Amino acid sequence: DDIVKVLMSKILQLSVNAQLTIMLMSCVGSSCSEPTLLLFLNDKTVKNIKREGMVDEVGRPDMLPSFSEAVREGFLKKQGSNYMFTHDQAQCAAYLLIPAEERDFWHLQIGLSIRNNAPSNYESKVIFIAVDQMNRGIASIKLDDQKLFLAKLNMLAGEKAMALSTFSSAASYFETGIKLLSQDHWENEYDLTIHLYNYYAEAEYCNGNFSEVGKVTKLVLEK
């Protein structure tokens, strides 16, 4: 709408670093904690998603002034350690500035950065956001080993979702993991495959989706 178009124009008046900061943040939602933001707001991520006309490198030390600029100009606000967009239109405007054909790749790079940069004591806190971002970037994954890597991460996310009794989310993670498997997965990745199908059936049982449980059970028994 017109408000979003005005906001897009105003964002482009910010410094290049501030533009990129809020565009990246728009990919993960309306709010994000500073520790999580700093996992993907780094030079490697920026190099991978670098847009024509933007700086070659934006290092982590440059990000905090960019947040301050975005807050000062009214696009973000900070509450405790969390940054959030001041309203939904601001997030929408920032996201729409990312070319549509590049968005899948941006999500993938953000997810990979979060997963790869998270310290061991923080991994469990960011597993969902990391996997969600990578799942949104599936279309840009071409290699089977990369798909296998993400299938395993979906199983881990699904297991944690089951432990939290969020069965709908768990089923979604397990189903995504299954879809990422190669055509010969029963032969080459039997353990992962059987675990994904079993967990998926269990999650759908908890969701009361008994017809899906029957389909999955029949498929597994036929193998």
Side-chain angles (χ1 to χ4, degrees), residues 75-220:
F75 293 102
L76 300 178
K77 59 183 177 180
K78 188 178 184 185
Q79 292 184 352
S81 63
N82 290 330
Y83 284 95
M84 58 193 69
F85 283 95
T86 50
H87 42 77
D88 292 341
Q89 289 96 330
Q91 181 193 355
C92 181
Y95 191 70
L96 288 176
L97 285 171
I98 305 170
E101 68 274 10
E102 295 179 14
R103 290 172 193 159
D104 289 341
F105 188 68
W106 280 51
H107 285 295
L108 178 63
Q109 292 303 314
I110 290 170
L112 286 170
S113 291
I114 293 173
R115 196 272 177 186
N116 292 337
N117 294 326
S120 57
N121 63 345
Y122 198 61
E123 287 180 354
S124 63
K125 296 181 180 179
V126 295
I127 180 67
F128 293 138
I129 187 172
V131 175
D132 288 345
Q133 287 296 303
M134 283 186 270
N135 284 346
R136 292 185 69 178
I138 283 176
S140 63
I141 301 177
K142 306 302 180 185
L143 301 178
D144 285 344
D145 59 343
Q146 294 175 336
K147 293 179 181 180
L148 178 61
F149 170 75
L150 184 51
K152 292 177 179 178
L153 289 182
N154 271 279
M155 187 174 75
L156 292 176
E159 288 175 335
K160 182 171 183 180
M162 289 289 286
L164 295 172
S165 299
T166 52
F167 302 119
S168 179
S169 293
S172 179
Y173 286 123
F174 295 135
E175 183 178 22
T176 300
I178 290 169
K179 290 179 179 178
L180 284 162
L181 296 173
S182 61
Q183 292 183 343
D184 55 359
H185 55 275
W186 284 106
E187 292 76 24
N188 294 335
E189 296 293 338
Y190 181 82
D191 288 344
L192 174 62
T193 299
I194 197 67
H195 278 101
L196 280 169
Y197 275 100
N198 285 343
Y199 283 134
Y200 177 54
E202 182 180 350
E204 289 292 41
Y205 180 86
C206 294
N207 288 326
N209 192 356
F210 303 120
S211 62
E212 188 67 12
V213 174
K215 292 177 184 177
V216 174
T217 302
K218 180 181 179 182
L219 188 153
V220 171

Side-chain angles (χ1 to χ4, degrees), residues 43-87:
D43 57 347
K44 184 175 181 180
T45 306
V46 172
K47 284 180 182 178
N48 287 337
I49 55 88
K50 182 178 61 177
R51 291 181 58 200
E52 184 178 353
M54 288 193 161
V55 290
D56 288 338
E57 293 186 18
V58 178
R60 191 169 296 178
D62 296 324
M63 291 294 99
L64 294 181
S66 298
F67 282 123
S68 298
E69 180 182 353
V71 170
R72 186 173 62 251
E73 296 299 325
F75 293 102
L76 300 178
K77 59 183 177 180
K78 188 178 184 185
Q79 292 184 352
S81 63
N82 290 330
Y83 284 95
M84 58 193 69
F85 283 95
T86 50
H87 42 77

Side-chain angles (χ1 to χ4, degrees), residues 12-26:
L12 292 175
Q13 296 174 26
L14 301 175
S15 69
V16 170
N17 282 4
Q19 290 179 45
L20 189 55
T21 296
I22 63 176
M23 287 163 65
L24 282 162
M25 181 173 160
S26 74

